Amino acid sequence: MGKGMVPNLLKAGHQLSIWNRSPEPLEEMKKLGAVVVDTPQQAFDADVVITMLSDDNVTRQIVIDSGALASAKPGLIHLSMATLSAALTIELSELHEKAGVAYIAAPVFGRNNLAAAGTLNIAVAGPQQAIDKVQPLLDMMGQKTWPMGDQPVQAAILKISANMMLGCAIEALGEAMALTQSYGIANESMVDFVTNTLFASPAYKIYGPLISQRTVEQPSFTLRLGLKDCNLALKAGEAHDVPLPFASVLRDNFLQALAAGDGGKDISMLGVHAIKRSGQQ
Amino acid sequence: MGKGMVPNLLKAGHQLSIWNRSPEPLEEMKKLGAVVVDTPQQAFDADVVITMLSDDNVTRQIVIDSGALASAKPGLIHLSMATLSAALTIELSELHEKAGVAYIAAPVFGRNNLAAAGTLNIAVAGPQQAIDKVQPLLDMMGQKTWPMGDQPVQAAILKISANMMLGCAIEALGEAMALTQSYGIANESMVDFVTNTLFASPAYKIYGPLISQRTVEQPSFTLRLGLKDCNLALKAGEAHDVPLPFASVLRDNFLQALAAGDGGKDISMLGVHAIKRSGQQ
Amino acid sequence: MGKGMVPNLLKAGHQLSIWNRSPEPLEEMKKLGAVVVDTPQQAFDADVVITMLSDDNVTRQIVIDSGALASAKPGLIHLSMATLSAALTIELSELHEKAGVAYIAAPVFGRNNLAAAGTLNIAVAGPQQAIDKVQPLLDMMGQKTWPMGDQPVQAAILKISANMMLGCAIEALGEAMALTQSYGIANESMVDFVTNTLFASPAYKIYGPLISQRTVEQPSFTLRLGLKDCNLALKAGEAHDVPLPFASVLRDNFLQALAAGDGGKDISMLGVHAIKRSGQQ
Amino acid sequence: MGKGMVPNLLKAGHQLSIWNRSPEPLEEMKKLGAVVVDTPQQAFDADVVITMLSDDNVTRQIVIDSGALASAKPGLIHLSMATLSAALTIELSELHEKAGVAYIAAPVFGRNNLAAAGTLNIAVAGPQQAIDKVQPLLDMMGQKTWPMGDQPVQAAILKISANMMLGCAIEALGEAMALTQSYGIANESMVDFVTNTLFASPAYKIYGPLISQRTVEQPSFTLRLGLKDCNLALKAGEAHDVPLPFASVLRDNFLQALAAGDGGKDISMLGVHAIKRSGQQ
């Protein structure tokens, strides 16, 4: 994701120090003018640091355990663009406040190609003054910023909820296809209809055809990651006594797909398994 | 629904005999040139009869028990545009075939105003020759016809499945709002975001704001009818051994809403109850 | 079931006219002194008629459509011992009342061998005076009668609910075994433990070992019948706005087992499928 | 729980050093001859240490973080009798092995009064040699020991699974009562029947009447703890790709009860909420 974002920031004339756990992906950006640094600490010695880390564990390791936050430049603004748990986001908010660093959660919606085109959607939450300062950066990376409040967890929960809704759309598509297919309707006809009428939106237009064609050569998002995101919703809900029966069904169905050995396959397989459960191929 | 359709058919120069259980709604159409008849039998004494009856029971009564089908004009084409069960549609197909009447299922998608504007979407299934003959009528009533096969049940199951997906979208929206609201995000902000990004489609654009505003003065579709439609999906699935875990959750949640006395309220209340289950208003 | 009951009634000196759709099973009872009659009507020409019919459809056919109820002997008491739906039981209650025949629902708990031993448990509901009259018969057939009220549907719903609880016990056992087995515990050890401690009751003692051994040569109760009973609970619940989330899960799991071709296998396979869903044998 | 166990061990002539986070409960045992020590380390300076700690967090704190395990007497056997997660049990097994301490998981089934009477059921798993050595102690505390294997997690998962089954029994009872009650059957009659026939076991005999009477003055096990245990099952299942649809339903129903403010009430309220969802009191 960084690969797509960095050029947009450099083009705007910003000075960029970049760090990654494996240095290979940085070569290209180095050529574009970014300065490669050796440690997270060096990256946190700036006016603004943007992090895009894969999950809670990595974030905890890089931001807290490495000492990066503890040695951050005074006045730093930390713009965290990954999908993190509600609990870690709250913990990070508190740790950053203690460290005198402004923490902004700004998870992104869209895939790599949107990042490169600068057309991501970005939810944002955190201290308003800090958001105002980084708004120009957000405008470079995304087509639109969606403010969700002054607590970083609010942007995190929006991202988590939208991902949950995406899982629900895939399951609903799969169940509906299991039903129509059992009455002899081709999946393509069914998908063509729903995605051009009531459900004419990206979520359904992306996943309808993927379920229909059954196999995805290069998964951009695996079932295993889908389960991880589903658990983020369940955990965040549990913290506030929010029952989420649809997410519970998703969780069990993800597990059944994993038990069948499909954990590394594309998340659209969640819908395919809804069809398989009915004894159909 | 007929109110919206009849003028379009009359405008096209067709001669129309109309019948309704309660005669009041027919007055207006009479003025436009339709001939009011006294019995279903008279309506079935035509080249084409279009039925739009509220459910299985009424359809059984009007089409079969009244003797209308038995005394139908030879060569009649019956265009059934209501949402009926898969089982009754199969039974009607067989009874019509025996009676020498072509039976076409052509359930519509859209509300009354779309019917008046002639911009409904219409799924259609049945004998191809008969469909070809009524295609000009379908083109007058809808903006697009979606052919689903030569067995009427195929159009019925598409309608049933799409309604099931709609229920799933409402529940998913409700659960997601329960989650985001519990973290202090206004429902409006959440709905604004999802319906302008991943879920920018009619289903979500209609029901997101309705859940958000909590009350709907004049329900266009009640929870009780939603439960009826959900049961159509469950029944049709059961006939073909298709498990539908999302529909099962919907069914229980519809019942919980009915138990709370909300059966007559708008189906968007399904999402509101997802929020209430979390102890929030 | 009748095979086990009839001898007990004859032994007590009662005069018995018996009827069955297929006459073969009656030969044996004929030898014991029962009089075989040719029609349901003849069976309904008595002081008391006991019916044990396989389901709603057959009951409707034999009791109503055949004219048996209409031509019943004045003052007849009808003791219906099958598992019937709540809706049909209510309908039968009304029809019997109109016909001047006392209708008692007295579904039995136990298998054929208990019937022969006269150790069934019998739930009973209906007009108290009529129950008093047939109490001696109930005492011959069962070890204990459990009065549930003066409306026949009350005995029907008790039976339906107990069957639902049985399905729940099987599913719970299956899920728990899936879990313990995945950590290397033999199913037998797990079953031995639970059925000798917290769950030391017939339901668990019967089904724990059956799930554990995976295959049952001669199913005494099939998955398909299990689904039928599960639907009796869901339907009865729906009539009173009672959500039954466990029964909904059972329904979907029954369907998944049917879709896998196991409909004719023993109901204990419901638990086996809980294990299979986890990718284990 | 310790209160009930300690006297049994002292009576047998064992020398006991005891430690508790709050010292008050120890006074009584001191009088019986136990030696109160000041730190966990002192308790781990023995031939055998028995721990009965409330949950994962407390166990981690007392056993690991306090340094007790690190400074344990060589050859120590640690008999852990609490209900702990599968993951922590595996982690503890590894840490103990490294520290040269035998780790045995021996979770108990039964309440305080059974502990005092020495009639608990005890599941046990761990190195066989160590189990052999502590068997006399287990015999003093419980009426029966149930060996589950040589990996401590096997006893942990049995306890977790049995607790899950208990939750399922409560939910099933609640749903069945919602159904029978809606048809006018008193909860007491229903419970009387099921707990004397198919479900004549402690689980149902304890919880049936508690649901029936609705309120429990002094909860011995709260809904909040029930949710914690349910999560232990879901987590343990997830680690091995085991879907647990019943446990998922339980989780959502626990949360709904917590959202209604009932977290501190007795776990039997899970069944009461099944009744409330149907609009009944």
Side-chain angles (χ1 to χ4, degrees):
Chain A
M1 192 63 86
K3 264 194 202 178
M5 292 170 159
V6 163
N8 290 329
L9 295 169
L10 287 171
K11 259 184 280 177
H14 287 285
Q15 194 180 327
L16 240 70
S17 297
I18 57 177
W19 178 86
N20 197 53
R21 282 183 295 171
S22 56
E24 296 79 14
L26 302 181
E27 282 310 304
E28 203 178 322
M29 306 179 206
K30 202 173 170 179
K31 286 178 198 153
L32 296 173
V35 177
V36 176
V37 296
D38 297 328
T39 63
Q41 280 96 328
Q42 290 172 284
F44 273 66
D45 182 19
D47 295 327
V48 175
V49 64
I50 301 174
T51 54
M52 177 63 94
L53 297 159
S54 56
D55 63 19
D56 273 28
N57 284 341
V58 173
T59 301
R60 185 180 291 283
Q61 214 178 303
I62 304 302
V63 176
I64 307 175
D65 298 351
S66 76
L69 176 59
S71 66
K73 180 171 169 182
L76 171 72
I77 297 174
H78 178 186
L79 191 58
S80 171
M81 305 189 77
T83 302
L84 301 179
S85 74
L88 181 64
T89 301
I90 291 171
E91 188 186 338
L92 285 170
S93 304
E94 293 167 354
L95 290 174
H96 279 71
E97 197 171 348
K98 277 183 205 159
V101 174
Y103 184 69
I104 298 170
V108 299
F109 296 80
R111 300 178 174 211
N112 298 350
N113 56 338
L114 297 191
T119 56
L120 296 164
N121 277 288
I122 305 176
V124 68
Q128 191 55 48
Q129 234 179 337
I131 292 175
D132 290 345
K133 281 192 194 150
V134 298
Q135 190 63 53
L137 298 177
L138 295 171
D139 292 342
M140 270 165 233
M141 294 184 283
Q143 63 169 320
K144 185 155 182 186
T145 306
W146 302 82
M148 286 295 141
D150 57 6
Q151 302 166 53
V153 73
Q154 294 175 313
I157 201 69
L158 184 79
K159 170 73 176 170
I160 289 167
S161 301
N163 281 355
M164 181 183 82
M165 285 178 67
L166 204 52
C168 291
I170 296 172
E171 173 71 20
L173 272 163
E175 294 189 15
M177 277 191 231
L179 194 49
T180 51
Q181 179 179 326
S182 81
Y183 284 85
I185 296 180
N187 287 175
E188 290 74 12
S189 303
M190 183 274 194
V191 169
D192 187 38
F193 174 75
V194 296
T195 62
N196 281 294
T197 54
L198 279 165
F199 302 96
S201 73
Y204 292 82
K205 281 177 181 289
I206 292 169
Y207 287 106
L210 290 181
I211 300 170
S212 186
Q213 71 188 55
R214 298 291 190 274
T215 51
V216 177
E217 286 305 317
Q218 296 197 309
S220 63
F221 198 78
T222 65
L223 279 171
R224 207 177 302 282
L225 288 174
L227 173 59
K228 199 200 72 172
D229 276 4
C230 181
N231 277 326
L232 292 183
L234 290 167
K235 272 279 185 189
E238 194 173 317
H240 288 187
D241 295 343
V242 180
L244 298 170
F246 262 22
S248 290
V249 170
L250 291 184
R251 183 188 165 282
D252 283 311
N253 289 354
F254 275 123
L255 284 175
Q256 193 174 353
L258 262 63
D262 287 350
K265 295 192 180 161
D266 191 78
I267 194 174
S268 55
M269 287 295 292
L270 179 70
V272 176
H273 275 273
I275 298 171
K276 288 189 175 182
R277 270 193 294 277
S278 69
Q280 303 178 94
Q281 290 306 316
Chain B
M1 191 64 84
K3 263 195 201 177
M5 292 169 161
V6 163
N8 291 328
L9 295 168
L10 288 171
K11 259 183 283 175
H14 287 286
Q15 195 178 323
L16 241 69
S17 297
I18 58 177
W19 178 86
N20 197 55
R21 282 182 294 171
S22 56
E24 296 79 12
L26 303 181
E27 282 310 306
E28 203 177 321
M29 305 179 207
K30 202 174 172 177
K31 286 178 198 152
L32 296 174
V35 177
V36 176
V37 296
D38 296 328
T39 63
Q41 279 97 324
Q42 290 173 283
F44 272 65
D45 183 18
D47 297 325
V48 174
V49 64
I50 300 175
T51 54
M52 177 62 96
L53 298 158
S54 56
D55 62 19
D56 274 26
N57 285 341
V58 174
T59 301
R60 185 180 292 283
Q61 215 178 303
I62 304 303
V63 176
I64 307 175
D65 299 351
S66 77
L69 176 60
S71 65
K73 178 170 170 184
L76 170 72
I77 296 175
H78 178 186
L79 191 57
S80 171
M81 304 189 77
T83 300
L84 301 180
S85 74
L88 182 63
T89 301
I90 291 171
E91 188 186 338
L92 285 171
S93 304
E94 294 167 356
L95 291 174
H96 279 70
E97 198 173 346
K98 277 183 205 158
V101 174
Y103 184 69
I104 298 170
V108 299
F109 296 80
R111 301 179 172 211
N112 299 350
N113 55 340
L114 296 192
T119 56
L120 295 165
N121 277 289
I122 305 177
V124 69
Q128 188 57 48
Q129 234 179 337
I131 293 175
D132 289 345
K133 282 193 194 148
V134 299
Q135 189 64 52
L137 299 176
L138 295 171
D139 292 342
M140 270 166 232
M141 293 184 284
Q143 63 169 321
K144 184 154 182 184
T145 307
W146 302 81
M148 285 295 139
D150 58 6
Q151 303 165 53
V153 71
Q154 294 175 313
I157 202 69
L158 184 79
K159 172 72 175 169
I160 289 168
S161 301
N163 281 356
M164 180 184 81
M165 285 179 66
L166 204 52
C168 290
I170 297 172
E171 172 71 20
L173 272 163
E175 293 190 15
M177 278 192 231
L179 195 50
T180 51
Q181 179 179 327
S182 81
Y183 283 86
I185 296 179
N187 287 176
E188 290 75 12
S189 304
M190 184 274 195
V191 168
D192 187 37
F193 175 75
V194 296
T195 61
N196 281 293
T197 55
L198 280 166
F199 303 95
S201 73
Y204 292 82
K205 281 177 181 289
I206 293 169
Y207 287 104
L210 291 181
I211 300 171
S212 186
Q213 71 188 53
R214 297 293 189 274
T215 51
V216 177
E217 286 305 318
Q218 294 198 311
S220 63
F221 198 79
T222 64
L223 279 171
R224 206 178 304 280
L225 288 174
L227 173 59
K228 199 200 72 171
D229 276 3
C230 181
N231 278 326
L232 292 182
L234 289 167
K235 272 280 187 191
E238 195 172 316
H240 288 187
D241 296 341
V242 180
L244 298 170
F246 263 23
S248 291
V249 170
L250 291 184
R251 183 187 166 282
D252 284 310
N253 290 354
F254 275 123
L255 285 174
Q256 193 175 354
L258 262 63
D262 287 350
K265 295 192 181 162
D266 191 78
I267 194 175
S268 56
M269 286 298 290
L270 180 70
V272 176
H273 275 273
I275 298 170
K276 288 190 175 180
R277 271 193 293 278
S278 69
Q280 302 178 95
Q281 290 306 316
Chain C
M1 191 64 85
K3 264 195 202 178
M5 293 170 160
V6 163
N8 291 329
L9 295 168
L10 288 171
K11 260 183 281 177
H14 286 286
Q15 194 179 326
L16 240 70
S17 297
I18 58 176
W19 178 86
N20 197 54
R21 282 182 294 169
S22 56
E24 296 79 14
L26 303 181
E27 282 310 305
E28 204 177 320
M29 306 180 205
K30 202 174 171 178
K31 288 180 197 152
L32 296 173
V35 176
V36 175
V37 296
D38 296 327
T39 62
Q41 279 98 325
Q42 290 173 284
F44 272 65
D45 182 19
D47 296 327
V48 175
V49 64
I50 301 175
T51 54
M52 177 62 95
L53 297 158
S54 56
D55 62 19
D56 273 27
N57 284 341
V58 174
T59 301
R60 185 180 291 282
Q61 215 178 302
I62 304 302
V63 176
I64 307 175
D65 299 351
S66 77
L69 176 59
S71 66
K73 180 171 168 182
L76 171 71
I77 297 176
H78 179 186
L79 191 56
S80 171
M81 305 189 77
T83 302
L84 300 178
S85 74
L88 182 63
T89 301
I90 291 171
E91 188 186 338
L92 285 171
S93 304
E94 294 167 355
L95 291 174
H96 280 71
E97 198 172 346
K98 278 184 204 158
V101 174
Y103 184 69
I104 299 171
V108 298
F109 296 80
R111 301 177 174 213
N112 299 349
N113 56 339
L114 297 191
T119 56
L120 295 165
N121 278 287
I122 305 176
V124 69
Q128 189 56 47
Q129 236 179 333
I131 293 175
D132 289 345
K133 282 193 195 150
V134 299
Q135 189 63 52
L137 299 176
L138 295 171
D139 292 342
M140 269 165 235
M141 294 184 282
Q143 64 169 322
K144 185 155 182 184
T145 306
W146 303 82
M148 286 296 139
D150 58 6
Q151 303 165 54
V153 72
Q154 294 175 313
I157 201 69
L158 185 77
K159 171 71 174 169
I160 288 168
S161 301
N163 280 356
M164 180 183 81
M165 285 178 66
L166 205 51
C168 291
I170 296 172
E171 172 72 19
L173 272 163
E175 293 189 14
M177 278 192 232
L179 194 49
T180 51
Q181 179 179 326
S182 81
Y183 283 86
I185 297 179
N187 287 175
E188 291 74 13
S189 303
M190 183 275 193
V191 169
D192 187 37
F193 175 75
V194 297
T195 61
N196 281 293
T197 54
L198 279 166
F199 302 95
S201 74
Y204 292 83
K205 281 176 183 286
I206 292 169
Y207 287 105
L210 290 181
I211 300 171
S212 186
Q213 71 190 52
R214 298 290 189 275
T215 51
V216 176
E217 286 305 317
Q218 296 199 308
S220 62
F221 199 80
T222 63
L223 279 171
R224 207 177 302 281
L225 288 174
L227 172 59
K228 199 200 72 171
D229 276 4
C230 182
N231 278 327
L232 292 182
L234 289 167
K235 271 279 185 191
E238 194 173 317
H240 288 187
D241 295 342
V242 179
L244 298 170
F246 263 22
S248 291
V249 170
L250 291 184
R251 183 187 166 284
D252 284 311
N253 290 354
F254 274 123
L255 284 175
Q256 193 174 354
L258 262 65
D262 287 349
K265 295 194 181 160
D266 192 78
I267 194 175
S268 56
M269 286 297 290
L270 179 70
V272 176
H273 274 274
I275 298 170
K276 288 189 175 182
R277 270 193 292 278
S278 68
Q280 302 178 95
Q281 291 304 316
Chain D
M1 190 65 83
K3 263 194 203 180
M5 292 169 160
V6 164
N8 290 329
L9 295 169
L10 288 171
K11 260 183 281 176
H14 288 285
Q15 195 181 324
L16 240 70
S17 297
I18 57 176
W19 179 85
N20 197 55
R21 281 183 297 171
S22 56
E24 296 79 15
L26 303 181
E27 282 310 305
E28 203 178 319
M29 305 179 206
K30 202 174 171 177
K31 286 178 198 153
L32 296 172
V35 177
V36 176
V37 295
D38 297 328
T39 63
Q41 278 98 326
Q42 290 172 284
F44 273 64
D45 182 19
D47 296 327
V48 175
V49 64
I50 301 174
T51 55
M52 178 62 96
L53 298 158
S54 57
D55 63 18
D56 273 26
N57 284 341
V58 172
T59 301
R60 186 180 290 282
Q61 215 178 304
I62 304 302
V63 176
I64 307 174
D65 299 351
S66 77
L69 175 59
S71 66
K73 180 170 168 183
L76 170 73
I77 296 175
H78 178 187
L79 191 57
S80 171
M81 305 189 76
T83 301
L84 301 179
S85 74
L88 181 63
T89 301
I90 290 171
E91 187 186 339
L92 285 171
S93 304
E94 293 168 355
L95 291 174
H96 279 71
E97 198 172 346
K98 277 184 205 159
V101 175
Y103 184 69
I104 298 170
V108 299
F109 296 80
R111 300 178 174 212
N112 299 349
N113 55 339
L114 296 192
T119 57
L120 295 165
N121 277 288
I122 305 177
V124 69
Q128 190 56 48
Q129 235 180 335
I131 293 175
D132 289 345
K133 282 193 194 151
V134 300
Q135 189 63 53
L137 299 176
L138 295 170
D139 292 342
M140 270 165 234
M141 294 184 283
Q143 63 169 322
K144 185 154 182 185
T145 307
W146 303 81
M148 286 295 140
D150 57 6
Q151 303 165 53
V153 71
Q154 294 175 313
I157 201 69
L158 185 79
K159 172 70 175 170
I160 288 168
S161 301
N163 281 356
M164 181 184 82
M165 286 178 67
L166 204 52
C168 291
I170 297 172
E171 173 71 20
L173 272 163
E175 293 189 14
M177 279 193 229
L179 195 49
T180 51
Q181 180 179 326
S182 81
Y183 283 85
I185 297 180
N187 287 176
E188 290 74 12
S189 304
M190 183 275 194
V191 169
D192 188 35
F193 174 75
V194 297
T195 61
N196 281 293
T197 55
L198 280 166
F199 302 96
S201 73
Y204 293 82
K205 280 177 182 288
I206 293 169
Y207 287 105
L210 291 181
I211 300 171
S212 186
Q213 70 189 55
R214 298 291 190 275
T215 51
V216 177
E217 285 305 318
Q218 295 198 309
S220 63
F221 198 80
T222 64
L223 280 171
R224 206 178 303 282
L225 287 174
L227 173 58
K228 199 200 72 170
D229 276 3
C230 182
N231 278 326
L232 292 182
L234 289 167
K235 272 279 187 190
E238 194 173 316
H240 289 187
D241 295 341
V242 180
L244 298 169
F246 263 22
S248 290
V249 170
L250 291 184
R251 183 187 165 282
D252 283 312
N253 290 354
F254 275 125
L255 285 175
Q256 194 175 354
L258 261 64
D262 286 350
K265 295 192 181 161
D266 192 77
I267 193 174
S268 56
M269 287 296 291
L270 179 70
V272 176
H273 275 273
I275 298 170
K276 288 190 174 180
R277 269 192 295 277
S278 69
Q280 301 177 96
Q281 290 305 315

